[in-house]
Amino acid sequence: MFEPAHGSAPDIAGKGVVNPTSQLRCAVMLLRHLGEHSAAAQLEQALDTVLSSSADDPKSRTRDLGGTASTTEFTQAVVKQLDSA
């Protein structure tokens, strides 16, 4: 299974405050399982870059990491890294 394990979190559902890292890490595992090693590496690198650069930019960290980014903003930062690779 390639699914992050967590509760339904109805108190924050639809508010855009969830950190999508676990979902993206699951996607990396799924891509590897499917033999898409290059795509997996690219996604993992993009995610790692965003997470490591977030120490300097609270706008690319979600609330649970002490930042201000929404789920969408964090995901857009990862996509931007993928586009620049």
Side-chain angles (χ1 to χ4, degrees):
M1 302 296 293
F2 305 99
E3 175 184 17
H6 53 74
S8 63
D11 56 324
I12 58 173
K15 294 183 180 178
V17 297
V18 175
N19 183 335
T21 299
S22 62
Q23 184 68 48
L24 294 170
R25 295 275 186 214
C26 287
V28 169
M29 288 189 288
L30 173 63
L31 288 166
R32 284 194 180 122
H33 176 74
L34 294 173
E36 297 292 336
H37 299 286
S38 178
Q42 289 175 355
L43 178 54
E44 187 168 45
Q45 180 61 48
L47 181 57
D48 289 346
T49 298
V50 170
L51 288 170
S52 65
S53 69
S54 70
D56 300 324
D57 183 9
K59 292 180 186 174
S60 57
R61 281 186 301 224
T62 51
R63 289 186 333 170
D64 62 314
L65 298 176
T68 60
S70 68
T71 304
T72 300
E73 291 167 333
F74 181 88
T75 304
Q76 288 171 339
V78 174
V79 170
K80 184 177 176 180
Q81 286 299 315
L82 282 168
D83 286 344
S84 67

